[in-house]
Amino acid sequence: MLLVVPTRPSGRAALWLSAAAVSAALVFGGTLAAPTAASAADTASYTGIVLGVGSDEAQRNISWYSTADTAQLVQLAPSSALVNGDFVTSVTTFAASGAANTTTTGFNRHATLSGLAENTQYSYRVGSEGNWSTTYSFKTQSFEGDFDFLFFGDPQIGSSGNVAKDQAGWADTMNVALTANPNAELLVSGGDQVETANTEPQWDAFLAPDQLRQYPWAATIGNHDVGGKAYEQHFYTPNTDRSAAYYRNGNTATDSGGDYWYIYKDVLFIDLNSNSYNSATGGGDAAHVQYVTDVVNAHGADAKYTVLTYHHSIYSAADHAKDADNKVRRVDFPTTFSNLGVDLVLQGHDHVYTRSYEIANGEKANPDEQPGQNDVFVGEGGVIYMTANSASGSKYYDITAPDNSGTTGAGNGADPLNPSNYWYDSVENQEHVRSYVKVQVKADELVVEGIRAGTCAAPNAAVELGKVGWCGTSGTNAPVDGVGSIIDSVTIHPYHGDGEDIQVDVPAAAPGEFGWTIDGQNGLVDLGTAQETNGAFEATGEINPIKVSDTRSSLSPWSLTSVLGDFTDGDKTFSGSYMGWTPKVVTDGAGAVAGAPVASGFDGGKGLSIDRVLGSGAQDHPKGEALLGANLDLKLPVDTAKGSYRATLTLTALAG
C-alpha cells in the first residue's frame, strides 16, 4: 500500500494512504507422514525385493530379504514429490513384519501398501532411517474399466541345469512382454518359479528382473515351489487362508501353501495350492472346492468375471496329461467351476500351450465348437481352461497322443473333430520357444492370446543345451514366426442367461477446482489523505473485491486469509498492525461467510499484521462463486513521519 504524508496546515504531518498490491499463495490440503526412524545403527542389506498383488487396486504387497533382524519399513511417495531422487515430502510409511528365514541365513520382511490413488506413479524403498534400499517405482491405473494382465507359465529357474541361461531367458521374456505391453496391470504366475524350493540362487535369478519390482506379481505355488518355506518367505499374498487343508499332506511346518483371493477391477481372482489334492492325506480337492464356493458366494457379486489360477493343468496335452493326480482333479473340479460361473482357468505344470474347448460339468459343452475357433460364446456353465508354456525356456514337454480312455471326465480320448488332439483341447501347441499369455479384460469379453516371447535362438536354454531334439513350427525345424507373434487368440463372450444385462459406466465426478481472483482490474487501493481525528491519523477505504470460485465435487471447506506487511516509504516505515478491517460478502455463493471484524492495532492488538480471515466456506457447502470485500480502517499515531507509504496485502487460500 502507498502512504503519502504531506505537511499539515498546523505544521504536523498529514497522512496519505494509497492502494494495495495483492499477492497470493494457494495451499491445498493433504496428508504428510514424516519418515519413521527404525535404527540409525541398522546396516542390513536388502535382497529379493518383489512387488506383490494386493487385495484390490488400491493395495500392493512388498516382500524382501534382510541380513539383519531389525525394525524395517517401506517409504512410499508420489514420484513427482521426490527431489533429486530424495524422499522429502508427502512420504507415507508402512511397517514391515517378518521372521527369520528357515532355509537360509537372514530374515524375511513384508509390508502392505494401502490407500493408493489411481493413475499415480509411486516411488518406494525398503529399510530403515539412514539405510535404505534402491528406490523403485510402480504406477497405478484407473480403478475402473478395461485392463490387461499377463500370465506366465513355469519359469522353473534351474530346471535346464544352467541357472544363468534360465535367468537370461526369463529376463528376456519379461523385457519382451512388458515392452510390448507397458500398461499391463498384473503379472500372474502359473507356478514353479524355481526348480528346487529352497535353493536361494535360483530364487535370486528368478527375482532378478526389475519388472518384478515395477508390476505386481500374483504368485502361484507349483510342485517345485512347495517343498520348503522359501516360497512363503518371498511372497506375501492377500486374503490367504493358511489352514492345513490347503497344504500338501496338511504339512504347514515345512511346506509352503495356502489358498488366496483378490479382486482387481471387475475380476475376482482365486488362487489355489493344487499340490494339496488328495483328501486322504489332507484337505485336498474337497477343501479347494469348498474354498472356491465360499469365496464366490461371498465376493462373486462384486466382480463381473471370475478367474481361477492353480499350477496343475487338468486339460493339458503333454507329459502330465495322463498323470493320475490330474485325472483326480479333472473329476473333482469342473462341475463346481461350472456351477459357480467361472469364466477362465489359468494353469501351468505341463510346459506346453493348450486352450480347451468350452467345458461344462466335465464335458465339451458345445459339440459344434470347432478346433481353433477364435470366438467362443460360452453357454451356461461354460469354462475355458488355458495352459501356459515355459516363460524362460528352461524346460519343454512334447505333446502326447490320446488313448481310448474316453471323452468325458478323467478320459484322455481323441477329439472327434481333430483325432491327433485330446477331446478337451481346441488348441495344442509346442514349438520349444518361450511364450506368455495376454488377457484383455473388456466390458463383455475376455480376449486371450498366446504370444511368442522368443524364437529358437538364444536365450532358450532347453534348445541351447540339447534338452529337446528340435525347435520350430508344429514339431518341425521350420522357423517360427518372430518375437511378439500370435500363437493363438480367442475371444470369450460370457454367458448372460435368458435376460438382458444392461451396463452403464458412470465416471467420477469432475474434481473441479478452487481458486480466487481479484474482481476486475487490480488497481491501487487509494485511501486518500489521512485525517487527524481524536489524536490519531485516520483513513478508510475498501479492498478490491475478491472473487472466490469453488467447483470441487468434494465440497471440502475453504478459507481465504490475509496478512498485511509493514508500510514503507524509503527508509521510513510503520507497522501493518495499524490497519483494521470489516470483511463482508458482497455476492453470496460457495457457502461464503465473512470473517470477523479486526480493529486497528492503534487501539490495542495486532490488526492485520497477522493472518486474518477474509471469508470461508464450511464442509458440504454448495458449489459456486462468491464476491468478498472488506472495509479498511487505518489509525496511526500523529507523530508518523510525512511520506507516501505502501504495503502489500497477501492473500492465502486454504482448500481442504
Side-chain angles (χ1 to χ4, degrees):
M1 292 182 178
L2 173 65
L3 175 63
V4 179
V5 184
T7 302
R8 295 188 306 105
S10 62
R12 300 175 64 186
L15 183 64
W16 292 83
L17 181 62
S18 244
V22 182
S23 63
L26 184 61
V27 181
F28 289 97
T31 301
L32 296 181
T36 301
S39 170
D42 180 5
T43 57
S45 59
Y46 313 111
T47 59
I49 299 171
V50 58
L51 183 67
V53 70
S55 293
D56 56 26
E57 313 87 16
Q59 192 178 93
R60 300 287 188 273
N61 285 298
I62 297 178
S63 305
W64 66 95
Y65 273 12
S66 168
T67 56
D69 190 16
T70 56
Q72 294 168 23
L73 48 84
V74 178
Q75 277 190 332
L76 178 76
S79 297
S80 60
L82 270 61
V83 177
N84 297 322
D86 293 331
F87 289 71
V88 293
T89 60
S90 302
V91 178
T92 306
T93 61
F94 299 89
S97 302
N101 292 333
T102 62
T103 56
T104 186
T105 58
F107 306 87
N108 60 86
R109 294 287 186 267
H110 62 264
T112 298
L113 315 183
S114 58
L116 302 176
E118 61 183 346
N119 299 312
T120 302
Q121 184 83 30
Y122 285 100
S123 293
Y124 70 94
R125 60 186 182 181
V126 308
S128 59
E129 193 64 36
N131 187 40
W132 298 105
S133 71
T134 299
T135 297
Y136 300 100
S137 68
F138 64 88
K139 184 179 180 181
T140 60
Q141 307 285 350
S142 170
F143 288 172
E144 298 287 344
D146 299 350
F147 75 100
D148 299 342
F149 69 88
L150 307 181
F151 177 62
F152 299 91
D154 303 55
Q156 205 169 330
I157 304 299
S159 63
S160 75
N162 188 311
V163 169
K165 288 185 179 295
D166 295 349
Q167 177 181 337
W170 172 233
D172 193 61
T173 294
M174 285 280 100
N175 290 333
V176 166
L178 289 164
T179 297
N181 302 281
N183 293 318
E185 301 189 32
L186 300 175
L187 309 181
V188 180
S189 163
D192 277 1
Q193 277 78 191
V194 296
E195 167 72 8
T196 309
N198 292 327
T199 302
E200 286 302 326
Q202 294 177 6
W203 283 105
D204 292 342
F206 169 77
L207 294 169
D210 268 349
Q211 290 90 344
L212 294 175
R213 283 161 284 287
Q214 299 164 347
Y215 295 83
W217 180 255
T220 298
I221 189 168
N223 58 299
H224 286 267
D225 304 316
V226 74
K229 286 295 186 182
Y231 172 90
E232 289 183 5
Q233 292 168 180
H234 280 295
F235 303 123
Y236 184 74
T237 52
N239 304 316
T240 304
D241 191 327
R242 300 195 185 279
S243 302
Y246 310 120
Y247 281 73
R248 183 180 62 174
N249 302 324
N251 182 10
T252 61
T254 59
D255 279 1
S256 291
D259 289 359
Y260 74 95
W261 65 271
Y262 57 99
I263 291 179
Y264 193 89
K265 294 191 177 179
D266 283 331
V267 180
L268 170 61
F269 289 91
I270 305 175
D271 194 284
L272 307 177
N273 174 19
S274 56
N275 295 286
S276 171
Y277 78 96
N278 187 346
S279 300
T281 58
D285 288 351
H288 295 313
V289 164
Q290 189 61 54
Y291 182 84
V292 174
T293 301
D294 291 344
V295 171
V296 171
N297 286 341
H299 305 286
D302 299 328
K304 295 181 175 66
Y305 299 100
T306 300
V307 174
L308 302 188
T309 308
Y310 53 82
H311 182 60
H312 295 81
S313 176
I314 63 175
Y315 292 120
S316 64
D319 282 18
H320 293 303
K322 301 175 185 179
D323 286 358
D325 59 329
N326 271 341
K327 287 178 177 285
V328 172
R329 297 183 190 92
R330 203 185 302 157
V331 171
D332 290 346
F333 285 165
T335 297
T336 296
F337 295 171
S338 291
N339 290 340
L340 292 174
V342 171
D343 297 284
L344 180 65
V345 179
L346 301 173
Q347 308 151 111
H349 191 51
D350 214 14
H351 300 249
V352 66
Y353 177 87
T354 67
R355 184 240 297 180
S356 79
Y357 289 114
E358 175 193 346
I359 303 295
N361 304 313
E363 300 182 7
K364 184 179 179 183
N366 178 9
D368 296 327
E369 184 184 343
Q370 297 298 300
Q373 186 171 312
N374 298 119
D375 275 274
V376 179
F377 293 83
V378 295
E380 185 174 9
V383 183
I384 303 298
Y385 295 76
M386 309 290 303
T387 308
N389 206 338
S390 171
S392 68
S394 64
K395 181 193 291 186
Y396 304 103
Y397 291 137
D398 287 335
I399 294 172
T400 56
D403 55 30
N404 60 359
S405 59
T407 56
T408 61
N412 286 100
D415 177 10
L417 300 178
N418 187 8
S420 64
N421 280 18
Y422 289 98
W423 66 267
Y424 42 72
D425 280 340
S426 173
V427 176
E428 298 176 357
N429 175 276
Q430 182 58 278
E431 299 171 340
H432 299 155
V433 298
R434 293 178 285 112
S435 63
Y436 65 96
V437 174
K438 176 180 178 179
V439 181
Q440 301 173 57
V441 180
K442 301 186 177 184
D444 198 36
E445 60 188 32
L446 299 174
V447 180
V448 185
E449 297 174 319
I451 303 175
R452 295 179 181 90
T455 64
C456 293
N460 196 354
V463 174
E464 294 176 71
L465 299 171
K467 302 292 183 178
V468 295
W470 56 271
C471 179
T473 303
S474 302
T476 76
N477 286 318
V480 299
D481 290 339
V483 172
S485 58
I486 304 298
I487 298 169
D488 172 47
S489 179
V490 62
T491 299
I492 303 169
H493 302 271
Y495 178 68
H496 291 292
D498 296 327
E500 293 189 15
D501 290 339
I502 299 174
Q503 177 173 311
V504 61
D505 292 337
V506 179
E513 58 185 17
F514 175 85
W516 64 268
T517 58
I518 296 172
D519 190 45
Q521 183 181 4
N522 184 17
L524 193 66
V525 176
D526 189 349
L527 302 185
T529 302
Q531 302 297 316
E532 184 178 357
T533 305
N534 299 323
F537 285 131
E538 294 190 39
T540 60
E542 294 186 45
I543 66 170
N544 292 315
I546 304 297
K547 181 186 291 184
V548 173
S549 175
D550 194 355
T551 60
R552 295 172 300 157
S553 299
S554 63
L555 306 180
S556 298
W558 63 267
S559 65
L560 198 63
T561 63
S562 307
V563 62
L564 184 64
D566 289 345
F567 285 81
T568 62
D569 178 21
D571 59 356
K572 296 174 289 187
T573 185
F574 65 84
S575 172
S577 64
Y578 289 115
M579 180 74 79
W581 72 358
T582 302
K584 57 186 176 181
V585 176
V586 179
T587 303
D588 287 332
V593 176
V598 177
S600 166
F602 181 86
D603 299 317
K606 296 184 178 181
L608 297 187
S609 67
I610 62 174
D611 278 324
R612 303 294 189 178
V613 176
L614 175 63
S616 63
Q619 176 67 46
D620 297 325
H621 63 271
K623 298 179 183 179
E625 293 183 347
L627 202 61
L628 302 178
N631 296 326
L632 299 173
D633 178 21
L634 180 69
K635 295 178 68 175
L636 292 170
V638 293
D639 59 357
T640 302
K642 172 187 175 183
S644 295
Y645 292 80
R646 285 196 180 187
T648 298
L649 182 70
T650 300
L651 301 175
T652 301
L654 299 173

